[in-house]
Amino acid sequence: MNIGTEFLNSISQKIADKGLRYKDTVIIGDNSSGKSLLLKMILEKKGKGEDVYFVDAVNRGFDVSKVIYEMRRHDYKNTIITARLQENIFNLTDTFSCYGTSTERIEEMYGWLEEKVQSLFEELTGERFRIIPGSILGEVEFKGEIGFLSSGYQAIVRIFMELLYYQEKCLLERHIDYGMVVIDELDEFLSPGYARKIVPFLKEHFQQMEFVITTHSCDLVAGAKNANLIVLDDRDFEVLDVNDYQSVSEVQIIFDRIFGTHNIQVPEIENVLRRLLNNKINGAWTSEDQIRLEHLQEEWLTPSQQLICRQIMEW
């Protein structure tokens, strides 16, 4: 891990304490930037309370052949989060360990969630699907044909199932006003069109939830509204306002910088000043930022760099 854990600790604390401008947060960064560690830190700081839920990147399957139509409504259990954070499971194994045995499946919930799942699915996609009774292979009738749900449609159904379960069995039954939902790689298997729609859709239909999301999708970022945008690289973090990046081309500039799609040379001191200014504007200022600003002021700066320093100090 290249990024200093002290920086991850600072930003994870602000997210857990709701110390940033918006209640929702989108996180981007490459695979070595510390995204997974940041999510774990957020969940650890929130503790094992009922006001937090976690869906990791591998929980995107919906196996129609495993659907059970019994109306048993499983209780909510924090063992789901505990299991998903284990090193041998985290982002490796699909799990829904609501009773701590790791043999449970979310498809067991479908019987009593079917109408709500289908309603959400139809509103997002314009279609419904019907599970073919007795199909060992898990076939469905969809768009007038018999076949199988694609991985993208499975991902949509799975996200709806996870959030409905948490909403119905935890937030509503236990009278919890708000819950934080952490979703790793929300765009996994989604087409660009659905990636762009998904964040506003979830915020509209699950208003008791505050979302912390990681993504590799420019479309998802461009479609998000009123959220903190956290950019991780191998040295630091930067907090932006996602409302300032409402087109894919604008978001692509950030992705180019992170993922090195194009080799754009920017003086390091200007990268640092940009991060400091954005962190100050968006309420993510830390003691480490203050130290870095003081060190910069001791260096020779161009007039424009001096102006940015003054802006940071006066904000």
Side-chain angles (χ1 to χ4, degrees):
M1 189 70 60
N2 294 321
I3 188 169
T5 56
E6 67 273 15
F7 302 130
L8 292 177
N9 187 63
S10 296
I11 194 60
S12 64
Q13 191 67 60
K14 284 186 176 292
I15 294 172
D17 293 342
K18 304 178 184 179
L20 299 178
R21 175 176 296 182
Y22 300 107
K23 66 178 183 178
D24 302 303
T25 297
V26 178
I27 302 169
I28 59 177
D30 66 24
N31 291 332
S32 64
S33 64
K35 293 200 307 297
S36 295
L37 181 56
L38 176 58
L39 296 187
K40 288 183 177 181
M41 285 182 168
I42 294 168
L43 292 164
E44 288 169 357
K45 287 177 170 57
K46 291 292 291 182
K48 295 183 179 179
E50 297 168 348
D51 62 341
V52 63
Y53 190 71
F54 175 54
V55 185
D56 63 11
V58 296
N59 297 116
R60 295 295 186 277
F62 179 71
D63 188 345
V64 174
S65 68
K66 304 296 183 183
V67 164
I68 296 177
Y69 273 97
E70 66 178 22
M71 300 306 289
R72 178 187 178 194
R73 298 175 175 239
H74 298 66
D75 294 333
Y76 175 74
K77 297 291 183 180
N78 282 318
T79 49
I80 294 174
I81 300 175
T82 302
R84 288 176 176 174
L85 287 176
Q86 293 177 16
E87 291 297 327
N88 63 327
I89 292 178
F90 181 77
N91 276 342
L92 295 172
T93 303
D94 188 320
T95 182
F96 190 75
S97 185
C98 60
Y99 288 122
T101 67
S102 297
T103 61
E104 303 89 335
R105 301 191 62 94
I106 198 168
E107 290 85 357
E108 298 172 13
M109 308 285 177
Y110 186 76
W112 59 274
L113 289 175
E114 181 176 29
E115 183 50 42
K116 291 182 178 180
V117 170
Q118 290 288 346
S119 178
L120 290 170
F121 187 85
E122 181 179 26
E123 185 172 343
L124 181 63
T125 69
E127 303 284 347
R128 287 192 173 219
F129 64 89
R130 183 178 68 87
I131 296 176
I132 304 301
S135 172
I136 299 176
L137 298 177
E139 294 172 297
V140 300
E141 181 182 355
F142 184 56
K143 296 184 178 181
E145 298 181 357
I146 303 299
F148 303 96
L149 284 179
S150 69
S151 57
Y153 286 134
Q154 286 186 47
I156 291 171
V157 173
R158 180 61 179 269
I159 289 294
F160 290 163
M161 291 280 290
E162 296 273 359
L163 299 185
L164 284 169
Y165 165 76
Y166 178 55
Q167 175 178 267
E168 299 291 319
K169 300 304 297 180
C170 185
L171 300 182
L172 294 179
E173 284 196 5
R174 304 183 185 194
H175 307 290
I176 298 172
D177 291 333
Y178 290 100
M180 176 181 285
V181 176
V182 178
I183 306 178
D184 196 9
E185 305 297 352
L186 175 57
D187 59 293
E188 189 75 11
F189 300 120
L190 298 186
S191 68
Y194 288 128
R196 190 178 183 96
K197 294 177 182 178
I198 193 65
V199 174
F201 188 87
L202 296 183
K203 289 175 67 173
E204 177 184 355
H205 292 279
F206 297 95
Q207 296 184 12
Q208 284 183 271
M209 300 178 191
E210 301 170 359
F211 293 98
V212 176
I213 294 162
T214 71
T215 185
H216 284 132
S217 169
C218 289
D219 294 277
L220 186 147
V221 176
K225 303 287 189 297
N226 299 329
N228 312 298
L229 177 60
I230 296 181
V231 181
L232 299 178
D233 61 25
D234 61 356
R235 294 157 295 183
D236 212 337
F237 73 86
E238 180 178 1
V239 179
L240 308 173
D241 187 327
V242 80
N243 294 318
D244 292 330
Y245 302 89
Q246 293 299 290
S247 72
V248 172
S249 60
E250 290 173 325
V251 179
Q252 188 62 55
I253 294 172
I254 302 175
F255 276 60
D256 285 347
R257 192 174 78 234
I258 298 172
F259 301 113
T261 308
H262 300 103
N263 188 17
I264 302 173
Q265 297 297 325
V266 178
E268 178 58 24
I269 194 168
E270 295 191 10
N271 281 328
V272 174
L273 285 170
R274 186 200 65 247
R275 290 193 196 100
L276 293 177
L277 181 59
N278 280 320
N279 287 353
K280 195 69 172 290
I281 290 172
N282 292 290
W285 193 255
T286 66
S287 58
E288 291 88 354
D289 290 333
Q290 183 64 39
I291 293 171
R292 273 175 284 181
L293 178 61
E294 292 171 358
H295 286 168
L296 281 177
Q297 290 172 315
E298 296 173 358
E299 299 184 17
W300 182 87
L301 301 175
T302 67
S304 62
Q305 292 167 352
Q306 293 174 17
L307 176 60
I308 296 174
C309 272
R310 288 196 295 272
Q311 290 175 323
I312 294 171
M313 290 185 293
E314 294 171 0
W315 189 268

